[in-house]
Amino acid sequence: MADDSLPALRDAVGNLSDMPALPAVVARLTRLIGDPRTTASDINDTLSSDPGLVTRILKQVNSPFYGFSRRITTITNAVVILGFTHVRNLALSAFVFDAFGSWRGSPFDIGSLWRHSIGSAFLAAKLAKTQDPKLEEDAFICGLLHDLGKFIMARNAPAHMESVLRTAEAEDILFLEAERLRLGYDHTELGAYAMERWNLPESLCRVVRFHHRPLDAPESARTLACVTNAADIVARSMLLGSGGDAGVPLLSEEVWERTGLDMARLEGIMRKVADDYSKSDAFFAS
Amino acid sequence: MDGRENTQQDKAQEKAQDKAQDKAREEEQKVKLLRIARMFSPHQDVPLMRQLCLIAIRCVQDGGEARG
C-alpha cells in the first residue's frame, strides 16, 4: 500500500471495522491450500463444519456449468475431480457473493459489478491457462476479486462511490480516473487492503493492487497482474456486466505480449467464455 | 369453420409476435454493438484496441454475449 493513500482510505472506510469478516472455515481452507501436506479429507473435514457452504459448493459443482455426467455428492469427490484450489475458489466466491454481490443497499448496480467479476474470472482463468495451467486457479480468484475495492466502497463509503460514479459519467472518464480526481485512494488499494486483512495470500493481494498498472507489479505477480488486466478489459468489451463506467481502459502492447496470445486464440477464448457465462447461474445464487 | 378460422388467426398472431420479437432483438443488438464501439472510441487509433473491438463485436453479433 502506498503510504500516502493509507490515511484517506482508512478515513473513508472506517478502518474496515464493519467489513464482513472472512468466515473461519474459508480462512482455514485458504491456509490448508498453502500447505503441501493437505489431503482431500482435510478439506472435507474443514468444510463439514459449515453444511450450508457444503450444499452451495455441491450445487455449483453439479450445475450445467461443469456438465459432469454423474452427480458429485461429497466434497472429497469434488476435491479429487476439481482440485484443492478450485474448491477454495468456490468457497471464496460464495462468501464474496453473500457479503457483497447480493447486497442491495447502494445506488450502484452491484449485480452488474458481480457479473463483471464473474466474467473477468472466467476470462482470467482461460488466459492464464494458455500461459501456464498452474496459474489457472489463482487467475480465477484474481479476476473475481480484482474489483473487490468497488464492492467495499459501495458498501462502506457510499458517498464516495456516488461521487466517483457522478464524476465518471459527467466527465466521460473511467471509474479509476474519477477515483483519482475525487478520492485520495482507489479501488485497487482498497481491495488489496481488505484481502490483506483477510490474510489471503500476498501474491493474490499484489495482483489486485496492480491490476490497473500490471507492469509495475513485482516480478512474482506480474504475469497474473497482466492476465487480470487483460481479462478486465476483455470482459468490458464483451459487455459482461459493468465495472461502473462506460469505457474500456487501454490494453498496452506490452501487457498483451505478456499474455502470449494472438487474436485468433483470444477470439476462441472469448467465445468459450461467453458460453460458460451463459451457464453460470450457480455463481449468481445464494 | 370457426375452428379453422381460429387456427389461421392464431398462426397470423404467432407470426406477428415472432416478427415483433425479431425486430426487438435486432434493435437490442444494434444498441449493444453501438455500445461496444462507443466504449472503445478513445482508443480507436490503437491497432490492438481496434482489433479487440472488432472481435468483441463479432462475438456479440454471433450471440455469444449472454447477460448485459
Short mmCIF file of all heavy atoms in Angstrom, two decimals, chain A residues 121-162:
data_model
loop_
_atom_site.label_atom_id
_atom_site.label_comp_id
_atom_site.label_asym_id
_atom_site.label_seq_id
_atom_site.Cartn_x
_atom_site.Cartn_y
_atom_site.Cartn_z
N ALA A 121 -13.33 -13.34 -14.10
CA ALA A 121 -12.72 -14.54 -13.51
C ALA A 121 -12.62 -15.66 -14.55
O ALA A 121 -11.57 -16.30 -14.69
CB ALA A 121 -13.55 -15.02 -12.31
N PHE A 122 -13.69 -15.86 -15.31
CA PHE A 122 -13.67 -16.90 -16.36
C PHE A 122 -12.58 -16.58 -17.38
O PHE A 122 -11.82 -17.45 -17.81
CB PHE A 122 -15.03 -16.99 -17.09
CG PHE A 122 -16.15 -17.55 -16.25
CD1 PHE A 122 -17.46 -17.39 -16.63
CD2 PHE A 122 -15.90 -18.24 -15.08
CE1 PHE A 122 -18.51 -17.90 -15.88
CE2 PHE A 122 -16.93 -18.76 -14.31
CZ PHE A 122 -18.24 -18.58 -14.72
N LEU A 123 -12.53 -15.31 -17.78
CA LEU A 123 -11.54 -14.91 -18.79
C LEU A 123 -10.12 -15.05 -18.26
O LEU A 123 -9.23 -15.57 -18.94
CB LEU A 123 -11.80 -13.46 -19.23
CG LEU A 123 -12.91 -13.28 -20.26
CD1 LEU A 123 -13.40 -11.85 -20.27
CD2 LEU A 123 -12.42 -13.68 -21.66
N ALA A 124 -9.90 -14.58 -17.03
CA ALA A 124 -8.54 -14.64 -16.45
C ALA A 124 -8.07 -16.09 -16.37
O ALA A 124 -6.91 -16.40 -16.71
CB ALA A 124 -8.54 -13.99 -15.06
N ALA A 125 -8.97 -16.99 -15.96
CA ALA A 125 -8.58 -18.41 -15.85
C ALA A 125 -8.17 -18.96 -17.21
O ALA A 125 -7.14 -19.63 -17.34
CB ALA A 125 -9.74 -19.21 -15.27
N LYS A 126 -8.94 -18.63 -18.23
CA LYS A 126 -8.64 -19.15 -19.58
C LYS A 126 -7.36 -18.51 -20.14
O LYS A 126 -6.55 -19.18 -20.77
CB LYS A 126 -9.80 -18.86 -20.53
CG LYS A 126 -11.06 -19.65 -20.25
CD LYS A 126 -11.05 -20.96 -21.03
CE LYS A 126 -12.34 -21.74 -20.85
NZ LYS A 126 -12.62 -22.15 -19.46
N LEU A 127 -7.20 -17.22 -19.94
CA LEU A 127 -5.99 -16.54 -20.44
C LEU A 127 -4.75 -17.11 -19.76
O LEU A 127 -3.72 -17.35 -20.40
CB LEU A 127 -6.07 -15.02 -20.19
CG LEU A 127 -7.16 -14.22 -20.91
CD1 LEU A 127 -7.15 -12.77 -20.45
CD2 LEU A 127 -6.96 -14.26 -22.42
N ALA A 128 -4.85 -17.33 -18.45
CA ALA A 128 -3.69 -17.84 -17.69
C ALA A 128 -3.35 -19.26 -18.11
O ALA A 128 -2.18 -19.63 -18.21
CB ALA A 128 -3.99 -17.78 -16.19
N LYS A 129 -4.39 -20.04 -18.39
CA LYS A 129 -4.18 -21.45 -18.74
C LYS A 129 -3.33 -21.58 -20.00
O LYS A 129 -2.54 -22.51 -20.12
CB LYS A 129 -5.55 -22.12 -18.93
CG LYS A 129 -5.49 -23.62 -18.91
CD LYS A 129 -6.87 -24.20 -19.05
CE LYS A 129 -6.80 -25.71 -19.20
NZ LYS A 129 -8.12 -26.26 -19.51
N THR A 130 -3.49 -20.66 -20.93
CA THR A 130 -2.69 -20.75 -22.17
C THR A 130 -1.21 -20.49 -21.88
O THR A 130 -0.35 -20.92 -22.62
CB THR A 130 -3.16 -19.73 -23.24
OG1 THR A 130 -2.97 -18.42 -22.71
CG2 THR A 130 -4.60 -19.92 -23.61
N GLN A 131 -0.93 -19.77 -20.79
CA GLN A 131 0.45 -19.47 -20.41
C GLN A 131 1.03 -20.59 -19.58
O GLN A 131 2.14 -21.06 -19.82
CB GLN A 131 0.48 -18.20 -19.57
CG GLN A 131 0.39 -16.95 -20.37
CD GLN A 131 1.44 -15.97 -19.93
OE1 GLN A 131 1.95 -16.06 -18.81
NE2 GLN A 131 1.79 -15.05 -20.79
N ASP A 132 0.28 -20.93 -18.52
CA ASP A 132 0.78 -21.92 -17.58
C ASP A 132 -0.44 -22.48 -16.82
O ASP A 132 -1.05 -21.76 -16.03
CB ASP A 132 1.74 -21.23 -16.59
CG ASP A 132 2.26 -22.19 -15.54
OD1 ASP A 132 1.80 -23.35 -15.50
OD2 ASP A 132 3.12 -21.76 -14.74
N PRO A 133 -0.80 -23.73 -17.09
CA PRO A 133 -2.01 -24.29 -16.45
C PRO A 133 -2.00 -24.16 -14.93
O PRO A 133 -3.06 -24.09 -14.31
CB PRO A 133 -1.97 -25.76 -16.87
CG PRO A 133 -1.17 -25.78 -18.12
CD PRO A 133 -0.15 -24.68 -17.99
N LYS A 134 -0.81 -24.07 -14.33
CA LYS A 134 -0.75 -23.97 -12.86
C LYS A 134 -1.30 -22.63 -12.36
O LYS A 134 -1.63 -22.48 -11.19
CB LYS A 134 0.71 -24.14 -12.38
CG LYS A 134 1.23 -25.56 -12.50
CD LYS A 134 2.45 -25.80 -11.63
CE LYS A 134 3.68 -25.06 -12.10
NZ LYS A 134 4.29 -25.61 -13.33
N LEU A 135 -1.35 -21.65 -13.27
CA LEU A 135 -1.83 -20.32 -12.85
C LEU A 135 -3.36 -20.18 -12.93
O LEU A 135 -3.92 -19.19 -12.44
CB LEU A 135 -1.21 -19.23 -13.75
CG LEU A 135 0.29 -19.00 -13.63
CD1 LEU A 135 0.74 -17.95 -14.65
CD2 LEU A 135 0.65 -18.55 -12.22
N GLU A 136 -4.01 -21.17 -13.53
CA GLU A 136 -5.43 -21.03 -13.85
C GLU A 136 -6.31 -20.70 -12.63
O GLU A 136 -7.13 -19.78 -12.66
CB GLU A 136 -5.93 -22.32 -14.51
CG GLU A 136 -7.36 -22.24 -14.98
CD GLU A 136 -7.83 -23.56 -15.60
OE1 GLU A 136 -7.06 -24.54 -15.62
OE2 GLU A 136 -8.99 -23.60 -16.04
N GLU A 137 -6.11 -21.45 -11.55
CA GLU A 137 -6.99 -21.27 -10.39
C GLU A 137 -6.76 -19.93 -9.69
O GLU A 137 -7.72 -19.25 -9.29
CB GLU A 137 -6.83 -22.42 -9.40
CG GLU A 137 -7.23 -23.78 -9.95
CD GLU A 137 -8.71 -23.89 -10.30
OE1 GLU A 137 -9.49 -23.01 -9.91
OE2 GLU A 137 -9.06 -24.85 -11.00
N ASP A 138 -5.50 -19.56 -9.53
CA ASP A 138 -5.23 -18.26 -8.91
C ASP A 138 -5.73 -17.12 -9.80
O ASP A 138 -6.22 -16.09 -9.30
CB ASP A 138 -3.73 -18.08 -8.63
CG ASP A 138 -3.32 -18.75 -7.32
OD1 ASP A 138 -4.22 -19.18 -6.57
OD2 ASP A 138 -2.11 -18.85 -7.05
N ALA A 139 -5.62 -17.33 -11.11
CA ALA A 139 -6.11 -16.29 -12.04
C ALA A 139 -7.62 -16.11 -11.87
O ALA A 139 -8.13 -14.99 -11.92
CB ALA A 139 -5.78 -16.67 -13.48
N PHE A 140 -8.34 -17.23 -11.67
CA PHE A 140 -9.79 -17.14 -11.48
C PHE A 140 -10.10 -16.23 -10.29
O PHE A 140 -10.93 -15.32 -10.37
CB PHE A 140 -10.38 -18.54 -11.25
CG PHE A 140 -11.87 -18.52 -11.02
CD1 PHE A 140 -12.76 -18.65 -12.07
CD2 PHE A 140 -12.39 -18.35 -9.73
CE1 PHE A 140 -14.14 -18.61 -11.86
CE2 PHE A 140 -13.76 -18.30 -9.52
CZ PHE A 140 -14.64 -18.44 -10.58
N ILE A 141 -9.41 -16.48 -9.19
CA ILE A 141 -9.74 -15.73 -7.97
C ILE A 141 -9.29 -14.26 -8.11
O ILE A 141 -9.95 -13.35 -7.62
CB ILE A 141 -9.17 -16.42 -6.70
CG1 ILE A 141 -10.15 -16.25 -5.55
CG2 ILE A 141 -7.80 -15.93 -6.28
CD1 ILE A 141 -11.45 -16.93 -5.70
N CYS A 142 -8.19 -14.02 -8.84
CA CYS A 142 -7.77 -12.63 -9.08
C CYS A 142 -8.81 -11.91 -9.94
O CYS A 142 -9.14 -10.75 -9.69
CB CYS A 142 -6.41 -12.59 -9.77
SG CYS A 142 -5.07 -13.12 -8.68
N GLY A 143 -9.32 -12.60 -10.96
CA GLY A 143 -10.37 -12.00 -11.79
C GLY A 143 -11.62 -11.71 -10.97
O GLY A 143 -12.22 -10.64 -11.07
N LEU A 144 -11.96 -12.64 -10.10
CA LEU A 144 -13.16 -12.49 -9.28
C LEU A 144 -13.03 -11.32 -8.30
O LEU A 144 -13.98 -10.58 -8.06
CB LEU A 144 -13.44 -13.77 -8.51
CG LEU A 144 -14.75 -13.80 -7.75
CD1 LEU A 144 -15.91 -14.17 -8.69
CD2 LEU A 144 -14.71 -14.78 -6.59
N LEU A 145 -11.83 -11.17 -7.73
CA LEU A 145 -11.65 -10.17 -6.66
C LEU A 145 -11.02 -8.86 -7.14
O LEU A 145 -10.80 -7.97 -6.32
CB LEU A 145 -10.77 -10.76 -5.54
CG LEU A 145 -11.31 -11.99 -4.81
CD1 LEU A 145 -10.33 -12.43 -3.73
CD2 LEU A 145 -12.67 -11.71 -4.19
N HIS A 146 -10.74 -8.73 -8.44
CA HIS A 146 -9.97 -7.55 -8.87
C HIS A 146 -10.69 -6.24 -8.53
O HIS A 146 -10.06 -5.24 -8.26
CB HIS A 146 -9.60 -7.63 -10.36
CG HIS A 146 -10.72 -7.31 -11.30
ND1 HIS A 146 -11.74 -8.20 -11.59
CD2 HIS A 146 -11.01 -6.19 -12.02
CE1 HIS A 146 -12.58 -7.64 -12.44
NE2 HIS A 146 -12.17 -6.42 -12.72
N ASP A 147 -12.02 -6.27 -8.54
CA ASP A 147 -12.78 -5.05 -8.21
C ASP A 147 -13.38 -5.11 -6.81
O ASP A 147 -14.36 -4.39 -6.52
CB ASP A 147 -13.89 -4.81 -9.25
CG ASP A 147 -13.36 -4.08 -10.48
OD1 ASP A 147 -12.27 -3.49 -10.41
OD2 ASP A 147 -14.05 -4.08 -11.52
N LEU A 148 -12.82 -5.94 -5.95
CA LEU A 148 -13.32 -6.04 -4.57
C LEU A 148 -13.44 -4.66 -3.93
O LEU A 148 -14.39 -4.36 -3.21
CB LEU A 148 -12.38 -6.93 -3.74
CG LEU A 148 -12.69 -7.06 -2.26
CD1 LEU A 148 -14.02 -7.78 -2.04
CD2 LEU A 148 -11.56 -7.81 -1.53
N GLY A 149 -12.46 -3.79 -4.21
CA GLY A 149 -12.47 -2.44 -3.63
C GLY A 149 -13.74 -1.66 -3.99
O GLY A 149 -14.23 -0.86 -3.19
N LYS A 150 -14.28 -1.90 -5.19
CA LYS A 150 -15.52 -1.20 -5.58
C LYS A 150 -16.70 -1.70 -4.74
O LYS A 150 -17.56 -0.93 -4.33
CB LYS A 150 -15.81 -1.41 -7.07
CG LYS A 150 -14.82 -0.71 -7.99
CD LYS A 150 -15.21 -0.93 -9.45
CE LYS A 150 -14.15 -0.37 -10.37
NZ LYS A 150 -14.41 -0.71 -11.79
N PHE A 151 -16.74 -3.02 -4.52
CA PHE A 151 -17.82 -3.58 -3.68
C PHE A 151 -17.75 -2.96 -2.28
O PHE A 151 -18.76 -2.58 -1.70
CB PHE A 151 -17.66 -5.10 -3.54
CG PHE A 151 -18.06 -5.89 -4.77
CD1 PHE A 151 -17.11 -6.54 -5.53
CD2 PHE A 151 -19.38 -5.99 -5.15
CE1 PHE A 151 -17.46 -7.28 -6.65
CE2 PHE A 151 -19.75 -6.73 -6.27
CZ PHE A 151 -18.79 -7.38 -7.02
N ILE A 152 -16.53 -2.88 -1.74
CA ILE A 152 -16.37 -2.36 -0.37
C ILE A 152 -16.73 -0.88 -0.33
O ILE A 152 -17.40 -0.42 0.60
CB ILE A 152 -14.93 -2.60 0.13
CG1 ILE A 152 -14.66 -4.10 0.21
CG2 ILE A 152 -14.71 -1.94 1.49
CD1 ILE A 152 -13.20 -4.44 0.46
N MET A 153 -16.30 -0.15 -1.36
CA MET A 153 -16.61 1.28 -1.39
C MET A 153 -18.13 1.48 -1.43
O MET A 153 -18.68 2.34 -0.72
CB MET A 153 -15.97 1.94 -2.61
CG MET A 153 -15.92 3.46 -2.53
SD MET A 153 -15.43 4.23 -4.08
CE MET A 153 -13.79 3.60 -4.28
N ALA A 154 -18.81 0.69 -2.25
CA ALA A 154 -20.27 0.83 -2.36
C ALA A 154 -20.93 0.55 -1.02
O ALA A 154 -21.93 1.18 -0.65
CB ALA A 154 -20.80 -0.13 -3.42
N ARG A 155 -20.36 -0.37 -0.27
CA ARG A 155 -20.98 -0.79 0.99
C ARG A 155 -20.56 0.11 2.16
O ARG A 155 -21.38 0.52 2.96
CB ARG A 155 -20.55 -2.24 1.27
CG ARG A 155 -21.27 -2.92 2.39
CD ARG A 155 -20.75 -4.34 2.52
NE ARG A 155 -21.47 -5.08 3.52
CZ ARG A 155 -21.25 -4.98 4.81
NH1 ARG A 155 -20.33 -4.13 5.26
NH2 ARG A 155 -21.95 -5.68 5.67
N ASN A 156 -19.25 0.42 2.23
CA ASN A 156 -18.72 1.14 3.40
C ASN A 156 -18.58 2.65 3.20
O ASN A 156 -18.50 3.37 4.17
CB ASN A 156 -17.35 0.58 3.79
CG ASN A 156 -17.45 -0.77 4.43
OD1 ASN A 156 -18.08 -1.65 3.89
ND2 ASN A 156 -16.84 -0.94 5.60
N ALA A 157 -18.48 3.09 1.95
CA ALA A 157 -18.32 4.52 1.69
C ALA A 157 -19.21 4.92 0.51
O ALA A 157 -18.72 5.37 -0.53
CB ALA A 157 -16.85 4.84 1.40
N PRO A 158 -20.55 4.76 0.68
CA PRO A 158 -21.45 5.00 -0.46
C PRO A 158 -21.37 6.43 -1.01
O PRO A 158 -21.56 6.64 -2.21
CB PRO A 158 -22.84 4.68 0.10
CG PRO A 158 -22.69 4.62 1.58
CD PRO A 158 -21.27 4.30 1.88
N ALA A 159 -21.05 7.40 -0.14
CA ALA A 159 -20.96 8.79 -0.63
C ALA A 159 -19.78 8.92 -1.60
O ALA A 159 -19.87 9.62 -2.61
CB ALA A 159 -20.79 9.75 0.55
N HIS A 160 -18.68 8.23 -1.28
CA HIS A 160 -17.53 8.24 -2.19
C HIS A 160 -17.90 7.59 -3.52
O HIS A 160 -17.55 8.09 -4.59
CB HIS A 160 -16.35 7.49 -1.57
CG HIS A 160 -15.64 8.28 -0.51
ND1 HIS A 160 -14.35 8.02 -0.13
CD2 HIS A 160 -16.06 9.31 0.25
CE1 HIS A 160 -14.00 8.87 0.82
NE2 HIS A 160 -15.04 9.66 1.08
N MET A 161 -18.60 6.48 -3.41
CA MET A 161 -18.99 5.75 -4.63
C MET A 161 -19.86 6.64 -5.51
O MET A 161 -19.65 6.73 -6.71
CB MET A 161 -19.71 4.46 -4.22
CG MET A 161 -20.26 3.64 -5.35
SD MET A 161 -19.01 3.17 -6.55
CE MET A 161 -18.45 1.60 -5.93
N GLU A 162 -20.82 7.32 -4.89
CA GLU A 162 -21.71 8.17 -5.66
C GLU A 162 -20.95 9.29 -6.34
O GLU A 162 -21.18 9.60 -7.51
CB GLU A 162 -22.79 8.78 -4.74
CG GLU A 162 -23.97 7.83 -4.54
CD GLU A 162 -25.11 8.54 -3.83
OE1 GLU A 162 -25.71 9.46 -4.42
OE2 GLU A 162 -25.37 8.15 -2.68
#
